[in-house]
């Protein structure tokens, strides 16, 4: 047991203790949980409050478990090195499980402790303790379910498993946002719940809240007990899948983008930029942390706009206009994650190459434009033309693309961390404290531009002429950059 404890302490030191302690993430959980519990504690009964309180840690841990904490659900990459020490495979497995349960438990407690302290008096001391215990157990069951899911996904051919994880994280992220925005409208319904409703059988927090249900444990309580037993079995077997291996980035999307890449290399990418362009273009989709962090962040706001837009009225058409210009507002998120890599030590290969920073930035910028902006703008343009009107798309889509290109160049010119150079956990150190201000300024600016273009651009010809002028200017700037001597 002493060996297992020593291994857990060593793994925790590498994951969350010391300088890498996620103080900001834990503080955010405390604040969010406290605010939501304060809002609902006087509006629902004891059972309804427990259901809400258990929903908070479930949501706030599901997203990081699919994102930055996903490596916890895989085998320790240092297992072979540690295995050379006087420890058994059983010790390593128990230590890995213990590390996972400790980190996930700490995240859950950050939301559960405020929820227990703010619980209504009718819950009592015993109910508060059970609330914390049920919440920790529920979060551990979530980790077990995702661990089993990882095992299944590793057996899928090609990149099917990684693609499913991206879709799953995006769906979970959207569900969390929708739940936070819409769920408060249904507080009167929560007040009337007894725990015997059939709809609660598909809602995990209701299973673990059965101890406070007026109807008693019932079927939801039995489901909770069964889930706990299955989770214990999963942790006992500890089927941690291996760390992701290098895979081909060939996909349907890469095939579709091949003509755009060839065209960019022919007309836009200079000879000196070809190496960083190809490097970033091919490597970014292979970086799991980049894909899992960036795609949901970009897709979620766009999906919200698309769902809220109604082409049958003028205001809905205005939302479609905002949708076209939204990608430019979220470019800082994309650029912030471009340095993400699971192998930062390999950066020396690029650092020792005869390549100056300006050339690398320009090549990376063009790779981002082709790899990310091209499919994003094509998808949004098709969405607007099919759900709103072809005229609106033809009038605003070209100028939206032009604004996106200009915004990308301006942001890169302001400075960008070296591509594929930084571990995911250290990303925030690559951007200064002005990220929030940049995002806010871009959101306001893109809203103003979208409204102005929607109101003033009378025909598609003007919009296409603007796009043509921006493309010509961009090509001229690229040739000028190529002609200037490197510093």
């Amino acid at each position: 047991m002493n060996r297992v404890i020593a291994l857990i302490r060593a793994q925790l030191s590498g994951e969350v203790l010391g300088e890498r302690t996620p103080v900001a993430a834990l503080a955010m959980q405390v604040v969010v949980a406290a605010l939501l519990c304060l809002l609902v504690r006087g509006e629902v009964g004891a059972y309804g409050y427990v259901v809400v309180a258990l929903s908070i840690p479930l949501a706030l841990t599901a997203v990081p478990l699919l994102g930055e904490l996903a490596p916890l659900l895989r085998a320790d990459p240092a297992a072979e090195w540690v295995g050379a020490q006087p420890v058994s495979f059983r010790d390593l497995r128990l230590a890995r499980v213990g590390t996972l349960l400790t980190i996930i438990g700490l995240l859950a407690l950050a939301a559960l402790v405020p929820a227990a302290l703010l619980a209504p008096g009718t819950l009592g001391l015993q109910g508060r303790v059970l609330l914390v215990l049920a919440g920790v157990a529920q979060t551990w069951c979530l980790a077990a379910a995702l661990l089993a899911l990882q095992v299944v996904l590793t057996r899928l051919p090609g990149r099917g498993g990684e693609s499913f994880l991206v879709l799953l994280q995006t769906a979970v992220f959207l569900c969390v946002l929708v739940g936070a925005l819409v769920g408060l409208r249904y507080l009167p319904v929560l007040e009337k719940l007894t725990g015997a409703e059939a709809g609660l059988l598909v809602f995990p927090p209701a299973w673990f809240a059965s101890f406070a249900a007026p109807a008693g444990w019932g079927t939801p309580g039995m489901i909770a007990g069964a889930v706990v037993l299955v989770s214990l079995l999963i942790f006992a077997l500890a089927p941690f899948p291996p760390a992701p291996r290098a895979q081909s980035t060939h996909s349907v999307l890469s095939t579709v983008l091949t003509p755009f890449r060839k065209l960019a290399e022919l007309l836009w990418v200079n000879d000196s930029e070809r190496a960083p362009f190809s490097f970033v273009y091919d490597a970014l989709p292979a970086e799991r942390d980049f894909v899992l962090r960036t795609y949901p962040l970009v897709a979620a706001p766009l999906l919200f706009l698309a769902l809220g837009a109604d082409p049958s009225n003028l205001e809905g058409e205005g939302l479609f206009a905002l949708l076209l210009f939204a990608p430019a507002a979220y470019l800082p998120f994309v650029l912030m994650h471009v340095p993400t890599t699971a192998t930062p030590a390999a950066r020396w290969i690029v650092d020792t190459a005869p390549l100056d920073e300006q050339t690398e930035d320009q090549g990376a910028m063009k790779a981002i434009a082709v790899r990310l902006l091209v499919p994003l703008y094509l998808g949004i343009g098709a969405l607007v033309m099919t759900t709103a009107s072809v005229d609106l798309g033809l009038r605003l889509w070209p100028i939206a693309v032009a604004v996106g290109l200009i915004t990308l160049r301006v942001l890169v010119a302001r400075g960008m961390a070296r591509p594929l150079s930084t571990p995911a956990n250290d990303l925030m150190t690559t951007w200064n404290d002005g990220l929030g201000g940049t995002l806010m300024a871009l959101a306001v600016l893109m809203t103003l531009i979208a409204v102005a273009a929607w109101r003033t651009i009378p025909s598609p010809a003007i919009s296409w002429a603007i796009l043509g002028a921006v493309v010509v200017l961009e090509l001229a700037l690229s040739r000028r950059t190529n002609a200037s001597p490197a510093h």
Side-chain angles (χ1 to χ4, degrees):
M1 182 57 67
N2 290 335
R3 291 192 298 269
V4 174
I5 295 175
L7 288 171
I8 292 175
R9 291 179 61 184
Q11 291 177 350
L12 287 176
S13 298
E15 296 287 352
V16 298
L17 299 182
E19 295 181 356
R20 298 177 64 183
T21 302
V23 177
L26 293 175
M28 184 199 71
Q29 300 232 36
V30 171
V31 171
V32 171
L35 288 176
L36 290 177
C37 290
L38 282 172
L39 286 173
V40 305
R41 68 189 304 263
E43 304 294 331
V44 296
Y47 176 62
Y49 179 87
V50 173
V51 171
V52 173
L54 292 180
S55 301
I56 297 171
L58 184 68
L60 295 181
T61 53
V63 174
L65 272 175
L66 289 168
E68 57 266 28
L69 295 182
L72 290 174
L73 300 175
R74 293 184 179 271
D76 186 355
E80 293 183 1
W81 181 84
V82 178
Q85 309 302 314
V87 293
S88 65
F89 175 76
R90 174 179 172 275
D91 294 336
L92 292 174
R93 186 174 62 183
L94 289 176
R96 191 64 176 170
V97 173
T99 302
L100 172 63
L101 296 183
T102 301
I103 295 175
I104 302 306
L106 287 174
L107 285 175
L109 287 174
L112 290 168
V113 171
L117 294 176
L118 295 172
T122 54
L123 196 59
L125 178 60
Q126 182 181 2
R128 297 171 195 265
V129 174
L130 289 175
L131 168 61
V132 174
L133 295 177
V136 173
Q138 172 190 253
T139 308
W140 284 346
C141 291
L142 170 66
L146 292 178
L147 176 60
L149 178 64
Q150 293 262 30
V151 175
V152 174
L153 294 181
T154 56
R155 301 180 182 275
L156 295 180
R159 298 181 60 86
E162 298 297 326
S163 300
F164 180 81
L165 276 178
V166 174
L167 293 175
L168 179 61
Q169 187 186 29
T170 303
V172 171
F173 189 63
L174 286 174
C175 288
V176 171
L177 291 179
V178 171
L181 295 174
V182 180
L184 294 177
R185 302 178 184 176
Y186 295 93
L187 292 182
V189 177
L190 289 175
E191 187 178 9
K192 300 176 182 178
L193 291 179
T194 64
E197 292 79 6
L200 297 178
L201 297 179
V202 296
F203 191 51
W207 308 341
F208 291 87
S210 297
F211 68 89
W217 285 89
T219 303
M222 290 189 290
I223 295 176
V227 170
V228 170
L229 292 176
V230 172
S231 300
L232 289 175
L233 179 62
I234 293 174
F235 285 132
L237 298 175
F240 289 98
R245 296 182 178 273
Q247 297 181 358
S248 171
T249 58
H250 180 75
S251 63
V252 175
L253 179 61
S254 65
T255 302
V256 172
L257 292 178
T258 297
F260 297 96
R261 177 179 184 174
K262 298 297 184 184
L263 186 63
E265 291 176 335
L266 179 64
L267 301 177
W268 192 21
V269 181
N270 301 320
D271 292 339
S272 60
E273 300 166 352
R274 193 173 297 272
F277 172 85
S278 299
F279 173 60
V280 175
Y281 184 94
D282 291 326
L284 274 185
E287 291 290 348
R288 184 174 185 270
D289 286 327
F290 175 83
V291 173
L292 287 177
R293 290 164 179 258
T294 305
Y295 289 9
L297 278 176
V298 174
L302 301 181
L303 288 175
F304 268 113
L305 278 175
L307 292 173
D310 182 4
S312 62
N313 59 65
L314 193 61
E315 291 78 8
E317 191 176 86
L319 279 178
F320 277 110
L322 291 177
L323 178 64
L324 285 167
F325 287 85
Y330 288 93
L331 277 176
F333 275 128
V334 176
L335 296 181
M336 184 183 77
H337 290 90
V338 169
T340 307
T341 180
T343 55
R347 171 71 197 185
W348 69 270
I349 300 174
V350 180
D351 291 336
T352 56
L355 186 70
D356 63 279
E357 291 186 1
Q358 182 183 11
T359 302
E360 184 180 6
D361 285 347
Q362 292 300 309
M365 178 194 74
K366 294 170 184 179
I368 293 168
V370 178
R371 171 62 82 172
L372 296 176
L373 293 191
V374 166
L376 187 57
Y377 276 111
L378 288 177
I380 292 175
L383 176 66
V384 171
M385 291 184 189
T386 55
T387 58
S389 69
V390 175
D391 177 71
L392 180 67
L394 293 177
R395 279 197 301 118
L396 299 185
W397 183 83
I399 195 170
V401 174
V403 170
L405 285 173
I406 294 173
T407 305
L408 178 62
R409 175 167 283 279
V410 170
L411 290 175
V412 171
R414 290 184 58 193
M416 181 177 67
R418 303 274 63 78
L420 302 160
S421 63
T422 308
N425 292 334
D426 299 333
L427 272 182
M428 291 308 297
T429 62
T430 64
W431 272 75
N432 56 33
D433 296 334
L435 176 60
T438 301
L439 288 170
M440 183 63 68
L442 277 178
V444 174
L445 181 61
M446 292 306 141
T447 301
L448 295 176
I449 293 176
V451 174
W454 173 46
R455 294 289 190 180
T456 61
I457 300 295
S459 67
I462 297 176
S463 186
W464 284 96
I466 293 174
L467 175 59
V470 170
V471 170
V472 171
L473 177 61
E474 176 61 38
L475 293 176
L477 287 174
S478 295
R479 292 191 180 95
R480 182 179 177 182
T481 302
N482 189 43
S484 62
H487 297 287

